[in-house]
């Protein structure tokens, strides 16, 4: 006895396209005296791949497909471009320190001012707080991090002494690329552990090539502000101030381009072209591909159990 499994587990159901073309109603030798029934276990005088004309009545196309609009997609693409600019801005600051054009005290002071302004804006926007977290707890966490980072700065400075500079730069580039690829753009607050760890690892590798331990401390602190705290503020802006979010993302993007232009005009041009492509062209490509989307659903799909089975687990 053959088993006609219409849930897609039978190899016959995998050849459904052939069944669509070779319906037995068009076969002169197909029996017509006995009505065909779509049942799982029953001996019937029909071939195993037999279907009648009602088979295509259950055909459905593009069930549950989400339709996108251009400008909302452009707005969400701003997260990608601003994160790319954050990496460019961090590399620019590191290059300034490496060349001796930026002092660590200046970077620490600017980072402190940005942190205070960002924290004030974060609190002003409101929103749910983690249970048990207060402003005093946030201050304690920041103080502990700064103390540990400052204490371990000499260790971080000598961390890659036995590694060649080319290897350090290659590891940093790879880690920053991994940060961009694994960054949770849909939910950037808090940043994903893999993305944040990759960014911090790349930052430590670069900071270890700076002249002194204070430079390393300033660079690691800057990396925390750029890769850990800024995404949290940006996510709060997107949720609480949707009109201000595009302006903030555009400001960061322009800042990254401007900073890179001060050191490498050609790199700034490439960054600007990449941002334009990600922000304007990729959404167009997505909408064009969506027009050609054609998913078919029918009786050959896997069976879905919609009944509540929780009572069997009690």
């Amino acid at each position: 006895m053959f088993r006609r499994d219409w849930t897609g587990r039978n190899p016959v159901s995998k050849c459904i396209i052939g069944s669509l073309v070779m319906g037995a109603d068009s076969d002169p030798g197909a029996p017509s005296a006995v009505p065909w029934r779509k049942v799982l276990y029953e001996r019937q005088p029909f071939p195993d791949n037999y279907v009648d004309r009602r088979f295509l009545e259950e055909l459905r196309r593009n069930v549950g497909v989400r339709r996108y609009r251009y400008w909302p997609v452009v707005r969400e693409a701003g997260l990608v471009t601003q994160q790319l600019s954050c990496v460019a801005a961090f590399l620019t600051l590191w290059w300034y320190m490496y060349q001796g054009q930026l002092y660590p005290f200046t970077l620490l002071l600017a980072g402190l001012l940005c942190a205070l302004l960002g924290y004030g804006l974060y609190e002003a926007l409101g929103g749910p707080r983690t249970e048990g977290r207060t402003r005093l707890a946030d201050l304690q966490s920041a103080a502990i991090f700064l103390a540990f980072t400052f204490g371990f700065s000499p260790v971080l400075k000598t961390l890659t002494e036995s590694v060649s500079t080319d290897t350090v730069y290659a590891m940093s580039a790879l880690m920053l690329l991994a940060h961009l690829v694994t960054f949770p753009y849909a939910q950037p607050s808090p940043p994903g552990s893999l993305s944040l760890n990759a960014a911090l690892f790349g930052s430590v590798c670069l900071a270890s090539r700076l002249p002194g331990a204070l430079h390393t401390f300033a660079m690691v602190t800057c990396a925390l502000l750029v890769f850990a705290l800024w995404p949290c503020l940006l996510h709060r802006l997107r949720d609480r101030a949707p009109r201000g979010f595009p302006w903030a993302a555009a400001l960061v993007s322009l800042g990254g381009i401007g900073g890179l232009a001060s050191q490498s005009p050609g790199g700034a041009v490439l960054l600007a072209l990449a941002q334009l492509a990600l922000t304007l062209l990729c959404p167009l490509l997505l909408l064009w591909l969506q027009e050609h989307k054609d998913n078919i659903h029918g009786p050959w799909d896997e069976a879905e159990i919609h009944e509540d089975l929780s009572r069997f687990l009690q």
Side-chain angles (χ1 to χ4, degrees):
M1 179 172 58
F2 291 98
R3 177 184 178 185
R4 258 188 304 273
D5 186 351
W6 296 98
T7 63
R9 295 182 297 237
N10 194 302
V12 175
S13 63
K14 299 182 183 299
C15 302
I16 197 63
I17 301 301
S19 298
L20 293 175
V21 180
M22 299 175 58
D25 284 350
S26 61
D27 187 357
S32 59
V34 180
W36 175 79
R37 299 169 57 203
K38 188 176 71 173
V39 294
L40 189 61
Y41 291 103
E42 182 175 328
R43 188 183 297 277
Q44 300 186 74
F46 297 97
D48 189 64
N49 64 341
Y50 178 85
V51 291
D52 61 2
R53 297 184 183 278
R54 296 171 298 173
F55 185 78
L56 290 179
E57 294 178 358
E58 302 180 37
L59 177 66
R60 296 171 296 164
R61 294 180 179 273
N62 297 333
V63 176
V65 173
R66 181 181 177 183
R67 297 296 177 182
Y68 295 99
R69 293 181 298 171
Y70 180 70
W71 289 113
V73 176
V74 170
R75 178 177 177 272
E76 294 300 321
L79 276 172
V80 183
T81 56
Q82 70 83 31
Q83 199 62 29
L84 185 62
S85 292
C86 285
V87 174
F90 175 79
L91 292 176
T92 301
L93 292 175
W94 173 83
W95 182 254
Y96 272 115
M97 293 194 70
Y98 184 77
Q99 295 292 328
Q101 301 175 8
L102 177 64
Y103 295 101
F105 284 108
T106 305
L107 182 60
L108 287 173
L109 181 60
L112 177 61
L113 292 177
C114 291
L116 293 177
L117 290 176
Y119 186 78
L121 180 59
Y122 186 86
E123 291 293 321
L125 290 174
R129 292 183 62 89
T130 305
E131 185 177 356
R133 295 294 300 182
T134 61
R135 292 183 177 88
L136 180 59
D138 295 337
L139 180 61
Q140 291 176 347
S141 300
I144 292 173
F145 171 80
L146 291 176
F148 271 92
T149 306
F150 183 78
F152 281 99
S153 293
V155 179
L156 298 177
K157 171 66 179 66
T158 60
L159 188 63
T160 60
E161 277 189 348
S162 60
V163 183
S164 65
T165 301
D166 293 340
T167 303
V168 170
Y169 290 164
M171 287 192 303
S172 301
L174 184 62
M175 289 298 103
L176 292 176
L177 179 61
H179 164 74
L180 292 174
V181 172
T182 60
F183 187 83
Y185 296 101
Q187 189 74 16
S189 176
S193 58
L194 178 59
S195 175
L196 180 59
N197 289 334
L200 292 180
F201 179 76
S203 303
V204 170
C205 290
L206 291 175
S208 65
R209 284 296 186 263
L210 294 176
L214 187 60
H215 295 73
T216 303
F217 170 66
M219 208 69 238
V220 173
T221 304
C222 177
L224 180 72
L225 291 176
V226 173
F227 299 121
L229 300 182
W230 167 246
C232 298
L233 177 59
L234 194 67
H235 181 65
R236 181 64 63 89
L237 277 172
R238 186 175 67 171
D239 290 344
R240 297 289 173 175
R243 293 185 178 180
F245 165 75
W247 295 104
L251 183 62
V252 173
S253 300
L254 292 176
I257 295 174
L260 190 60
S262 63
Q263 294 293 333
S264 175
V269 172
L270 292 178
L271 178 61
L273 292 177
Q275 290 185 355
L276 288 176
L278 289 172
T279 307
L280 301 177
L281 297 182
C282 288
L284 285 176
L285 179 62
L286 175 63
L287 296 180
W288 178 77
L289 291 174
Q290 193 183 37
E291 294 178 357
H292 299 275
K293 190 177 185 66
D294 189 15
N295 291 339
I296 59 174
H297 303 267
W300 55 84
D301 290 338
E302 297 256 344
E304 298 181 4
I305 301 176
H306 299 285
E307 184 180 359
D308 185 13
L309 303 179
S310 59
R311 65 179 184 274
F312 297 107
L313 303 178
Q314 298 177 354

